[in-house]
Amino acid sequence: MVGITETVLRDGHQSLIATRMRTRDMLPAAERLDAIGYRSLEVWGGATFDVCLRFLHEDPWERLQSLKRAMPNTPLQMLLRGQNLVGYRHYPDDLVRKFVAESARRGIDIFRVFDALNDPRNMGVAIDAVRKAGGRAQGTICYTQSPVHTLPSFVQLGRELAALGAEELCIKDMAGFMPPGDAAALVRALVREVGLPVVVHTHSSSGMSALTCLAAAEAGAAAVDTALGPFSGGASQPPTEALVGAMRGTPLDPKLDLSALADLSEYFRTVLDHYRPLLNLRSLQTDGEVLLHQVPGGMLSNLLSQLQEQDALARLPEVFAEIPRVRQDLGYPPLVTPTSQIVGIQAVFNVLAGARYQTITREVRDYVRGLYGAPPGPIDADLRRKVLADAAPIQGRPADLLAPEFARALEEVRALVPAADDAEAISYAVFPAVYKAYRARRDRALTDEALTSAALGIVGALRARPASLPAPPSSLVREEAGGMSAWAHEGRSRLHSQRRWIDASTRRTRR
């Protein structure tokens, strides 16, 4: 039997609607999700922590506790960026241990620990902290293709993760370009040579994800990641219902109730309807070019944004051509947060400047110095000389250079919030400016409900029609139950202005 890890509450909406699903839209489905029989439910980590504080004005710790109370029977899972936790820099060991312990106390059972460079030194402390907190440590291999990423090198990484204390392994295919044959070969090799359960995570970007998951399951994978239909496909995972149906009645049968899954999908279809203004149609499309440039969905969104700001969208093909060259210069890092942004931004700089490395970003300089960890392969000699002329490379594990932070963070946050607990100190330490803004808004009682009510009043006033004008036909009024939230209205307005919103009630003509 193959287990299913359901991603609808984390990577499913992170991939399709920029992580904007609110806790209040998750909880109505929680009891039904808990009753399905999933191997685990991925509910936390990745970008959810940052987005909760920065955009949704929610406490991520409260979300986790609420979900655990509502789903006590199914293991809850999170994505942890190793020494980067849920942020974008290395944090000291004391903060890593505090974060993991608090996450376990609040409800996380399985920690998927990865590092963007596949550097075990950046995962060791987190894995050890997971074991000490009583959680299950899932050591992660970021899959990519390059001259230095081979089947033997991935197996060796699996051995090192097992030696660090990982209880199972995950093959993480960030951009969805792992062929079924490669997946099967890697699963077999890891099961045979390392002896730990193997879970496969992929994305549907290239269109191969369902084939890859089936091949991995047939090769002996313990579980695969999927997302319920409305939040599946494209930049997200393959659909849960399709894979459960494909394996039904076979030795791989996950034994999940398709009727119950269909009921949940219907609920999440209504959720997606609410967030549709945030859904970029490109994120749902199959992109065969990912097999060439290996750019994951989140990285592509950032590239498009950067080029649009410079009025240079037409130069995207040049950037796609430059990305593999920059990646080669940097020793073939896998393209996953934060290395995907390091490579992508430098590629944009190189293309727009018309000269390679005329400007070198601070992140590339830090990378070359070793501040992110050990690169998988050798760094280009000319680039290395150019960077190291100004600063020497570091020796050893990057986090060894960092002083403890938790005690200072607790003292500082209690100057803002005298009753702050460890969780609030962690939030402050990971995202200080974001946390301060969140607390200020909360202290002024500017909750989501209050902001939405005020904004709806403004939107309603702006929409009010002069008395002399006739009201529109009722058939054209398609207001959602409870009204549209202000941020959703803003998203729809932006899509209208970019001509990306299709209103079913508006007649479309050829120009």
Side-chain angles (χ1 to χ4, degrees), residues 239-417:
T240 303
E241 304 92 318
L243 279 170
V244 169
M247 294 186 280
R248 194 176 187 183
T250 75
L252 306 174
D253 194 340
K255 300 192 183 303
L256 304 185
D257 185 342
L258 282 172
S259 296
L261 292 173
D263 178 61
L264 279 164
S265 282
E266 184 57 35
Y267 170 75
F268 281 106
R269 192 168 288 111
T270 66
V271 172
L272 182 60
D273 285 343
H274 176 67
Y275 292 96
R276 200 168 294 279
L278 298 173
L279 180 64
N280 188 325
L281 292 181
R282 182 159 188 163
S283 67
L284 286 174
Q285 295 171 346
T286 299
D287 180 11
E289 290 185 12
V290 74
L291 300 172
L292 302 174
H293 55 59
Q294 300 188 18
V295 172
M299 180 179 176
L300 176 60
S301 298
N302 286 335
L303 290 175
L304 292 171
S305 176
Q306 291 155 18
L307 291 172
Q308 190 167 26
E309 287 175 3
Q310 300 296 321
D311 196 24
L313 274 176
R315 305 194 72 177
L316 182 61
E318 295 175 66
V319 174
F320 277 155
E322 178 65 7
I323 285 171
R325 292 193 286 265
V326 172
R327 183 168 174 256
Q328 179 178 351
D329 293 342
L330 295 178
Y332 298 104
L335 295 180
V336 63
T337 303
T339 52
S340 56
Q341 306 313 319
I342 294 172
V343 171
I345 293 171
Q346 186 62 58
V348 170
F349 272 55
N350 289 356
V351 168
L352 297 185
R356 304 191 76 230
Y357 303 111
Q358 178 174 304
T359 299
I360 301 177
T361 67
R362 185 189 69 182
E363 290 76 16
V364 167
R365 291 181 182 277
D366 288 346
Y367 176 97
V368 173
R369 290 186 60 215
L371 291 172
Y372 288 91
I379 294 174
D380 176 77
D382 290 338
L383 177 60
R384 187 176 174 84
R385 275 193 298 270
K386 195 170 184 179
V387 169
L388 298 183
D390 301 325
I394 70 161
Q395 304 296 326
R397 187 178 73 110
D400 288 341
L401 303 176
L402 303 176
E405 289 184 21
F406 179 75
R408 176 171 57 83
L410 184 60
E411 181 181 351
E412 290 179 5
V413 79
R414 283 183 174 168
L416 299 170
V417 186

Side-chain angles (χ1 to χ4, degrees), residues 77-267:
Q77 181 171 316
M78 78 165 292
L79 182 66
L80 189 71
R81 297 168 180 160
Q83 207 73 29
N84 285 17
L85 297 177
V86 289
Y88 311 103
R89 67 174 178 92
H90 273 46
Y91 297 96
D93 292 346
D94 69 321
L95 196 55
V96 172
R97 293 186 183 281
K98 280 285 188 181
F99 183 96
V100 169
E102 189 68 16
S103 301
R105 189 178 76 82
R106 301 252 180 166
I108 292 297
D109 302 292
I110 303 173
F111 293 76
R112 178 172 290 170
V113 182
F114 81 94
D115 176 66
L117 295 177
N118 282 332
D119 187 342
R121 301 174 306 166
N122 293 336
M123 294 184 268
V125 171
I127 289 174
D128 181 64
V130 171
R131 298 295 299 271
K132 287 179 177 175
R136 191 189 313 171
Q138 192 177 98
T140 302
I141 297 168
C142 290
Y143 174 84
T144 189
Q145 297 171 357
S146 83
V148 300
H149 292 94
T150 62
L151 185 60
S153 74
F154 286 137
V155 171
Q156 178 57 28
L157 176 57
R159 292 194 187 100
E160 293 177 31
L161 292 171
L164 289 172
E167 298 165 273
E168 54 192 44
L169 299 174
C170 172
I171 302 168
K172 179 176 171 65
D173 174 23
M174 302 79 63
F177 61 85
M178 180 167 60
D182 283 16
L186 183 51
V187 168
R188 288 193 193 97
L190 290 171
V191 170
R192 181 179 65 248
E193 301 294 332
V194 183
L196 294 179
V198 177
V199 180
V200 173
H201 169 92
T202 187
H203 291 254
S204 298
S205 313
S206 71
M208 294 195 298
S209 62
L211 296 173
T212 295
C213 285
L214 284 173
E218 291 169 349
V224 295
D225 286 11
T226 64
L228 282 165
F231 282 92
S232 69
S236 181
Q237 283 71 57
T240 303
E241 304 92 318
L243 279 170
V244 169
M247 294 186 280
R248 194 176 187 183
T250 75
L252 306 174
D253 194 340
K255 300 192 183 303
L256 304 185
D257 185 342
L258 282 172
S259 296
L261 292 173
D263 178 61
L264 279 164
S265 282
E266 184 57 35
Y267 170 75

